[in-house]
Amino acid sequence: MDILLRLFAKSLTTSLFSVVFPQAPAGLQNCESPKFDRARVDACVRANTNRLTEEELAVLDLLTKPGPRLRAKKEQVRTAARDLLAALKRGKLVLDWRKKQTAKAQVQVTIQRMLAEGLPRAYSLVEMREKSEVVYQHVYDAYAGEGQSLYSWQDAFVGE
C-alpha cells in the first residue's frame, strides 16, 4: 500500500492526493510546494519516511553522502541533524546574519560544536571538519535569517 501511495504522490498534486487518500501517512500531505515537481515530492516522501523535515533531510544527506558506514549509528546522525538545525534556529540565524562577521562566526562555531558532540566517532577529524564546512555552506546558502529559508514554504502546510 505504501508503494501505491508514493506513486500517487508523485503523479498527483498534494491537494488532489489528500482528497483521494485522506488517511495517508502523517506529513505526506505536506509534500506540496509552490513550484510542484517530482524531485521535491521525492525528497518530501523520503523525509517523511525518515521522520525528518525536508531541511533536516538535506543536512542528513550532507553528513552521510559521502561518509563513513553508519548502519548502527544512523539514528544518532539523524538526531545530530535535527538538533543542529534546532540550535541554529533558536538564535543564530537572525536577521541579516550573513552580513555580520560575528553572527557568521557564531553559526560556524555552533555547527562545529554540535557536530563534534552529536556525530558518532566513526567520523575522523578530517571528515568532521569537511562536514562542518559543507553544512555551513548549505546553511549560508539556504537560510536568510528570521525564519526565511528555502524551506519556508513548508511551514505554511504544516498543521493543515
Side-chain angles (χ1 to χ4, degrees), residues 72-93:
K73 305 285 186 176
K74 191 84 169 188
E75 189 59 39
Q76 187 177 353
V77 179
R78 275 191 202 105
T79 301
R82 186 177 291 123
D83 292 348
L84 171 61
L85 284 174
L88 291 173
K89 288 179 177 183
R90 265 195 311 270
K92 303 298 181 199
L93 302 179

Side-chain angles (χ1 to χ4, degrees), residues 13-126:
T13 65
T14 304
S15 301
L16 182 56
F17 179 78
S18 62
V19 170
V20 174
F21 294 104
Q23 301 302 321
L28 197 56
Q29 295 96 337
N30 297 332
C31 295
E32 183 175 15
S33 74
K35 294 183 178 181
F36 183 80
D37 61 21
R38 290 185 194 281
R40 200 71 183 248
V41 170
D42 289 343
C44 192
V45 169
R46 223 177 110 234
N48 282 300
T49 301
N50 283 298
R51 299 177 322 276
L52 298 170
T53 64
E54 189 178 353
E55 60 191 317
E56 291 167 345
L57 182 65
V59 172
L60 177 68
D61 286 346
L62 292 172
L63 295 174
T64 58
K65 297 177 182 177
R69 294 229 177 254
L70 298 168
R71 293 222 186 269
K73 305 285 186 176
K74 191 84 169 188
E75 189 59 39
Q76 187 177 353
V77 179
R78 275 191 202 105
T79 301
R82 186 177 291 123
D83 292 348
L84 171 61
L85 284 174
L88 291 173
K89 288 179 177 183
R90 265 195 311 270
K92 303 298 181 199
L93 302 179
V94 296
L95 183 64
D96 291 335
W97 74 271
R98 295 184 290 187
K99 295 179 182 177
K100 302 171 186 166
Q101 196 61 34
T102 55
K104 290 193 299 188
Q106 287 177 342
V107 168
Q108 214 162 18
V109 167
T110 299
I111 291 170
Q112 291 168 351
R113 184 179 49 79
M114 295 291 294
L115 293 183
E117 292 171 3
L119 290 179
R121 298 295 167 232
Y123 288 88
S124 69
L125 288 175
V126 172

